[in-house]
Structures are given as structure tokens and as C-alpha cells.
């Protein structure tokens, strides 16, 4: 899994109960994942189409880091679906735990916002990553 980004949890990121506000985490996930999709597909013309079920497994607190990881899960004709995982990281102990995991789908669009096929070079890169993942899970 590739490390995409790290965010420190600040007081301004907290909700009513002193935990990281869920909407803030979802915003970080979307920004990180679309940047990764853009990188994989060699284009800024990637848009979020869907976000699978999100279950906030454990709360995260001020002073922790949120580390976001991802990898390609499914390759479509005009899209790529990424598995995205957010982990809380305790800077004092180095321990991490999963806060949220989901799949996010991104589509490659033209100037008019219509889906178009991914470039061959991008498809080959993503297929290679998918194959590598299959080989590791044998």
C-alpha cells in the first residue's frame, strides 16, 4: 500500500466529543485519493464518482497523526477504483490503528466533463500495480 499523505489532528479538526470530525477526515480522504488517481492516470481530469460505505471504526484524537494509504483495486475503461485506508498514528508510541477504510471511484473526463477512456500508458501502470498486488496475495 502506498502512503499518500499525513495530517496532524489539531483542535480545529475536532467535533463535539473531542474526536476528529468525520467530515474533515472524509475531505482529507477525497483530496488524497484524487491526487493519487491523478498521478496514476497522468491527468488532472479525474473526478470523484463514488465513495463506498464508510464505517468509522475507532475515534482519533488531537495530537495524533492521520496517515492515509491507498492502492488501485479495480481498473475500468474510464475509471479507477482505489482502496483507501486512514490510520491514526500515536507519535509517542508509534502505534497505528485503522480509523476508516473504503473504496473510492474516480473517472477520467474530457473538457466537457464527459467520461473518456484512460490512456494506454496509465492503464498499463495500473494493471502492473494490480498484478503486483495479486502476486503478493498468492
Amino acid at each position: 500500500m502506498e502512503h499518500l499523505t499525513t495530517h496532524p489532528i489539531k483542535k480545529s479538526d475536532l467535533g463535539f466529543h473531542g474526536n476528529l470530525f468525520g467530515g474533515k477526515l472524509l475531505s482529507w480522504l477525497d483530496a488524497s485519493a484524487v491526487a493519487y488517481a491523478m498521478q496514476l492516470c497522468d491527468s488532472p481530469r479525474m473526478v470523484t464518482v463514488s465513495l463506498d460505505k464508510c464505517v468509522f471504526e475507532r475515534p482519533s484524537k488531537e495530537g495524533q497523526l492521520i496517515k492515509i494509504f491507498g492502492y488501485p483495486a479495480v481498473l475500468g475503461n474510464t475509471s479507477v477504483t482505489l482502496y483507501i485506508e486512514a490510520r491514526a498514528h500515536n507519535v509517542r508510541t508509534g502505534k497505528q490503528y485503522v480509523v476508516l477504510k473504503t473504496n473510492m471511484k474516480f473517472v477520467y473526463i474530457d473538457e466537457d466533463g464527459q467520461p473518456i477512456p484512460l490512456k494506454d500508458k496509465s492503464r498499463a501502470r495500473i494493471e502492473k500495480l494490480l498484478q503486483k498486488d495479486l502476486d503478493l496475495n498468492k
Side-chain angles (χ1 to χ4, degrees), residues 22-84:
K24 178 65 80 170
L25 178 56
L26 291 174
S27 174
W28 291 344
L29 287 176
D30 192 33
S32 300
V34 75
Y36 187 42
M38 293 164 120
Q39 175 184 321
L40 289 172
C41 298
D42 299 317
S43 175
R45 294 185 177 275
M46 300 300 294
V47 294
T48 309
V49 172
S50 67
L51 173 70
D52 283 356
K53 180 178 178 179
C54 292
V55 176
F56 294 88
E57 297 182 16
R58 292 182 60 188
S60 43
K61 302 287 186 181
E62 180 180 6
Q64 291 180 318
L65 299 175
I66 290 291
K67 293 188 169 205
I68 299 173
F69 297 84
Y71 64 83
V74 178
L75 179 61
N77 183 45
T78 62
S79 65
V80 60
T81 300
L82 305 176
Y83 170 80
I84 301 294

Side-chain angles (χ1 to χ4, degrees), residues 92-133:
R92 292 178 186 87
T93 66
K95 292 184 179 179
Q96 294 183 15
Y97 58 85
V98 174
V99 175
L100 184 145
K101 54 191 173 196
T102 189
N103 288 297
M104 299 179 74
K105 185 175 183 177
F106 299 90
V107 170
Y108 181 43
I109 59 168
D110 64 15
E111 311 75 44
D112 298 321
Q114 298 302 308
I116 54 175
L118 294 171
K119 300 173 194 171
D120 290 340
K121 179 182 170 187
S122 303
R123 294 185 67 75
R125 175 186 300 116
I126 296 166
E127 286 170 349
K128 187 176 179 180
L129 290 169
L130 288 169
Q131 184 60 48
K132 182 180 174 185
D133 186 53

